[in-house]
């Protein structure tokens, strides 16, 4: 089973040359490719990129943080200037969170690759994809990504407990000389067992492997591209509803809009955490809190995984009622109606039922 | 476990003197209490009452059918006149479907009892409650009902496969002389094993017993009266949406409105089965077909069981899109908005989350 | 799914011309083929045949009971003489329990067919196969059986709740004129829905259908003939152990030995129900009680369904300890050792692991 | 739920002062308490202690390995001499695998503590208890153990994926100054969230938490001391069978016998891996291979977790058949009979069934 899982996992990363590892931690992306003291460029655009930077600093890398306003994407101009100045190639890796869940921002990875190529810079290109692989278009080979990672509990709709890491040949090469301390999650051990055909240096979580098999089967049955299109459609419907309510998207430009989560800015006289609390207490609705810099200012609507049009519309109706509950003058039905208008035009028939 | 199940099942029938049987068929209500050739009065108000009458005729009873227009409740005036004329007490039983799922009609059982009492008529009072027990208020003892029955797959939200029958002392007494042929589902066998404390003359479906335990626990945790109030709230929201769409309820008077299902009449230029088909094919929405006399003319929205406000609103949004799909000029968001306005005023906080 | 289930169910009955019904009761075998007052010949050889005869009498058939000593098979000589004397063909059906679980007796169905053929007698041939189909060789077409029935919870290793009935073309023909009262389980309703391709006149127990799919898959994966051979092997090992303990098989002749259950006769100074109780209380071992005429005199070891060699040997070891517990002078290890000697010679390699 | 889980987990470690962490790796026991370059004494007595030593060396500790013959326990005389010579207290920790699964050896932790106390040596006392907690008696507080760890998939009978680590106050104190690199599994993060009452710095594996709840409930229902006694009884029965077969226990002295696994030495003319293979291929029996130095020479019978007498006896019967298969002259039934004789004397009644 592991053999076919590994083959199929490559499809969701859109890679043929990458090597996947089913490893329950994301730390391994860094420790397998870098050495203590290595300089890395890392983008800070929200809470989840902040946490990754924390981890990078804990692991004793020399982290060159490029910060943007929360609500903006990674500042690629700064990247360009840093690469331009680095003819000595002291920068060993570029670390970027593809989809910043805290602010609903998706970064442009193709553009990062273009910049790296422009300067012919050999830095590794490491991507945290926890919250989007299988939900957004992601092309590991096409975009020259060296390590990408995701988790079981996001777009795969599995329980928590499994990380999936995919490494390019260049990353594997780097792992041979990377000196970071690593024990359980050393790719070397895995590669040894891959060769032997037994695949696992340690006992894996069997139930998650069966879960992954089923999750992949469901995705392939719907079609990976259809899954991604569905995420795009539901995200667009959500943004249309937000606009109909007269509220603002935390994401500052359309090019950064995330198709897995929408962070909604509330008027200053409302505490967004009250919206989350109220939704949970009255309507069994799970919204996301604003985190850190945007705490109290935004709430988040997640729209990823095994979700369909009517489930989203139920959620949007719930948000409307909560907004009214907390004193925001929403016209009930306005967001749902606007979203329906879009969805009624764009939702395809279900292939298996035609 | 069976001992406590039987005790708890009595609570959902609101009876202390009744005797419950967990029997996988509803035929037993008739065969255990009546003899071949017995005269019974039975109300025909829709497809499910029709099927019950079929069964009664198959079992060789002398069925006195009282028909109403589909969309109306049982004609109790005719009942009164029949009882008035029956001083010889040739009528052995009154058979009534409490909640006619085909047309969304709920009959007034208290009124039936009042009429029986008025004429001091000893006929048994048999009620088909398949689609509503645990969803609508039902008071077996208060209303003097002799046999009531329900199924696992409706308001209990269990899989199919278990019938629940509850018999009054008078019904048990009748079973001693009833001559209808019955083998597996003879109450006598059950009563014998009840006395022995082993409860089961045959091997029961263990997994459904565990399911029933859980279903009852969930209902009692929410509170049976809260469950019934929730059904009332969701049903009212549905009717408000139907009105907002400019459509008519198949149920002709408010006194008959069912809180578990709403049958919606479509304009003559639309075939309601297209609505059902479209909902299924495009939005993964399960609506009910119009049956028999109302085929093509109504579609049905079920709102019973383990269902909350946002799930219903998602369903209503789906109906709006389907109506638009089939050419009905609905204003998208109108029904959902009207339902939200009602629900935002009436939905209580979730007790366990305050 | 139902379509393929029905096709596959025919394989376990070894029939190509039969029509299967997934119906949760066995009564239907009788009511669909016979009319009240019909004369039937029925064999009484133990508790389960007794219960079937009870049912036949409840259903108002004129039952001609042929009794044998408990521990013997059906008395086919009496059958022959009855058929010989019945040139008027007043006998409408022969009813036989293939495998009498109470005494571990398996009847010879091929011999019954031979006798019927010899007298060119048109009586229907009805077989209760509850406890053996998929465990013993059963050839519905070859043996000219008109109705065979089994249950989900025996050799199929499913939960209780589903009956499987298979009817020959002759039985279907008979059902057109049979006058027994039947409502829910009338084949006619099923045949109507089979033709329409929707298969179910009523909502079936979906979870049991999925279970049946899995049970059949497991059986076909192992190979039906291998499953039957495994039952034969385990049964033989059990009988060898019983002999090694110095105890007697309740089944009086080898030709009647059942491959699904062994009823063991205990010495007169031991109450067999103490053995069953002790096994349950001390070793978590489920043995079967002696029933009715053999109560206190035999205990039963079931060996059917999803069971392998080591599970059986664990059970046999448990029986040895219980025998010692209740004062029978067994040599510990004697039965297990003898069974091992047989199994070590005869158990094949597991095909999927070679 | 986490709050009560943490409280209950302390009971299986028999500690009141310890702090438990539900962390999916065992590395954390070392990295949270020690710094790179620290001298530690570690006992090598089999494959699993070898793997732990590998890990210790990977983590850059200065490992003082004390090796014994495989089949012997930890050499505590060498420990005593090392401690005696270490008046400077350069030894920071003693690392010991309590139960060496490869050879069926259980070390005497109370004796280790006595030696540490005798020399008034402040070294931390770290114990790998992966394969025995809940199966063997383990007294964290009484024996002054500083860190103990176990895994979900052993005596708790859960799926893989959760580690359980328990730290003494002294270990927590040490973690404040320990300089080993650690990110995800830093106790500090957990302690912070314990104080806040939300418990989890990262999303845990919810399904394993529910599993742990059930596993603990089952253990407490049986009684932890009864569980441990059962393991003792089944282990003793296994050793009696081994002796009856004329084979030797790999464990060289009775004081080291493990109650969770028995490693059996085969005669030189047999390859023990053939025994394991044959058991798997013919009888669906999972035995353990001999590892590393004892490869080909021993096979292992596991007897831990949710296992009862009859399951073990089935397994022992299987081993007998396999031994015969590979040409060892075993008397079939000899081991099972001997084990039965012991178990029939010692197995208590099941409390809930009396």
């Amino acid at each position: 089973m592991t053999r076919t899982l590994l083959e199929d996992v490559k499809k969701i990363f859109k890679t043929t040359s990458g090597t996947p590892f089913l490893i329950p931690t994301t730390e391994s992306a860094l420790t397998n490719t870098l050495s203590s003291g290595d300089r890395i460029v890392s983008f800070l655009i929200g809470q989840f990129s902040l946490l990754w930077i924390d981890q990078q600093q804990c692991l004793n890398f020399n982290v060159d943080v490029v910060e943007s306003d929360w609500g903006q994407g990674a500042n690629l101009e700064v990247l360009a200037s840093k690469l331009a100045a680095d003819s000595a190639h002291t920068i060993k890796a570029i670390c970027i969170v593809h989809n910043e869940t805290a602010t609903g921002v998706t970064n442009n990875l193709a553009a990062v690759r273009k910049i790296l190529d422009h300067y012919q810079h050999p830095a590794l290109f490491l991507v945290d994809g926890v919250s989007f692989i299988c939900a957004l278009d992601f092309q590991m080979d096409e975009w020259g990504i060296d390590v990408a990672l995701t988790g079981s509990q996001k777009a795969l709709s599995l329980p928590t407990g499994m990380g999936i890491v995919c490494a390019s040949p260049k990353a594997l090469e780097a792992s041979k000389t990377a000196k970071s301390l690593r024990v359980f999650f050393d790719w070397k051990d895995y590669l040894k067992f891959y060769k032997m055909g037994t695949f696992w240096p340690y006992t894996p979580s069997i139930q998650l492997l069966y879960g992954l098999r089923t999750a992949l089967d469901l995705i392939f049955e719907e079609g990976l591209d259809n899954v991604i299109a569905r995420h795009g459609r539901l995200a667009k419907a959500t943004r249309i509803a937000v606009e109909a309510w007269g509220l603002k998207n935390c994401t500052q430009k359309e090019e950064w809009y995330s198709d897995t989560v929408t962070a909604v800015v509330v008027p200053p006289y409302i505490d967004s955490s009250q919206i989350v609390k109220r939704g949970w207490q009255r309507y069994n609705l799970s919204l996301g809190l604003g985190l850190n810099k945007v705490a109290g200012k935004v709430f988040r609507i997640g729209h990823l995984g095994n979700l369909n049009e009517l489930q989203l519309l139920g959620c949007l109706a719930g948000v409307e009622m909560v907004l009214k509950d907390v004193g925001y003058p929403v016209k009930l039905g306005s967001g749902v109606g606007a979203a329906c208008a879009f969805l009624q035009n764009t939702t395809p028939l279900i292939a298996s039922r035609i």
Side-chain angles (χ1 to χ4, degrees), chain A:
Chain A
M1 185 170 69
T2 300
R3 190 186 311 274
T4 53
L5 279 179
L6 292 175
E7 275 316 302
D8 284 348
V9 156
K10 287 162 71 173
K11 295 178 193 162
I12 63 173
F13 285 95
K14 294 199 176 156
T15 182
T16 56
S17 62
T19 301
F21 303 96
L22 305 175
I23 295 187
T25 176
T26 53
E27 202 177 315
S28 64
L30 303 166
T31 55
N32 277 286
T33 53
L34 299 167
S35 304
S36 186
D38 276 358
R39 181 183 174 202
I40 60 182
V41 174
S42 204
F43 296 93
L44 169 49
I45 63 167
Q47 179 66 8
F48 291 92
S49 39
L50 179 62
L51 288 173
W52 205 23
I53 288 168
D54 268 0
Q55 186 184 99
Q56 291 154 6
Q57 289 169 337
C58 272
L59 291 168
N60 290 332
F61 302 119
N62 172 14
V63 189
D64 200 341
V65 177
V66 180
E67 188 162 6
S68 303
D69 261 12
W70 289 33
Q72 295 190 344
N75 190 330
L76 300 188
E77 285 170 31
V78 174
L79 174 65
S81 66
K82 281 185 191 284
L83 292 180
D86 185 38
S87 54
H89 295 169
T90 62
I91 298 172
K92 298 302 176 200
I94 310 298
C95 293
I96 188 162
V97 171
H98 188 190
N99 189 57
E100 171 56 65
T101 297
T103 55
V105 163
T106 299
N107 286 305
N108 186 340
L109 301 181
V112 172
R113 167 50 55 201
K114 204 173 280 179
I115 295 169
L116 279 163
D117 287 352
H118 179 78
Y119 294 100
Q120 298 187 299
H121 197 289
L124 291 167
F125 184 8
L126 311 184
V127 176
D128 172 343
V130 168
S131 65
F132 73 89
I133 281 175
C134 286
L136 308 187
D137 187 32
F138 180 75
Q139 308 199 27
M140 182 159 173
D141 284 0
E142 178 71 22
W143 299 341
I145 290 163
D146 292 305
V147 187
L149 53 92
T150 190
S152 52
Q153 81 272 29
K154 298 288 178 178
L156 287 167
S157 299
L158 284 175
T160 47
M162 182 188 280
I164 307 178
V165 178
C166 205
S168 73
K170 185 172 157 193
L172 286 189
E173 198 56 37
S175 75
K176 293 182 187 164
T177 53
K179 295 198 187 61
S180 287
L181 201 66
R182 55 196 184 269
V183 181
F184 268 129
F185 304 127
D186 195 328
W187 293 348
K188 181 165 45 67
D189 293 337
Y190 282 82
L191 293 171
K192 196 173 100 189
F193 283 81
Y194 283 9
K195 260 192 200 142
M196 291 166 51
T198 56
F199 292 105
W200 292 101
Y202 308 103
T203 318
S205 178
I206 307 289
Q207 79 273 27
L208 281 174
L209 296 183
Y210 280 104
L212 178 59
R213 180 68 270 158
T214 298
L216 292 172
D217 287 347
L218 289 172
I219 285 167
F220 296 149
E221 194 189 318
E222 185 176 351
L224 179 54
D225 289 338
N226 294 333
V227 170
I228 291 168
R230 173 166 55 78
H231 279 84
R233 192 163 66 241
L234 297 179
K236 175 95 179 171
T238 305
R239 292 191 292 261
I240 286 171
V242 171
E243 206 183 322
W245 298 329
L247 291 173
K248 270 188 48 183
N249 197 319
C250 173
T251 318
Q252 296 180 9
K253 285 194 196 163
E254 196 172 334
E255 59 179 283
W256 294 319
Y257 282 159
S258 165
D259 280 353
T260 64
V261 64
T262 300
V264 183
V265 180
V266 298
Y269 60 88
I270 292 174
D271 174 359
S272 69
S273 66
Q274 288 307 308
I275 291 178
V276 176
K277 190 176 169 193
R278 185 80 178 177
W280 175 247
Q281 286 191 326
R282 195 177 191 200
Y283 303 107
N284 195 21
L285 176 63
S286 281
L287 298 168
L289 283 164
L291 297 169
N292 203 323
K293 283 201 186 174
V294 292
K297 299 180 187 164
V298 313
F299 68 91
R300 292 174 295 137
I301 302 171
H303 31 79
L304 88 167
N306 192 339
L307 182 81
N308 72 12
E309 286 74 16
L310 303 197
Q311 290 170 306
L312 179 72
L313 291 167
C315 160
L316 295 177
V319 173
E320 296 193 2
M321 293 194 290
V322 177
L323 287 171
K324 187 123 199 181
D325 279 5
V326 298
Y328 179 77
V330 70
K331 183 174 175 317
L332 291 172
S334 60
V336 173
C340 278
F342 171 71
L343 291 172
Q344 195 260 334
N345 267 324
T346 54
T347 303
L349 293 179
I350 299 168
S352 61
R353 293 186 180 165
I354 301 173

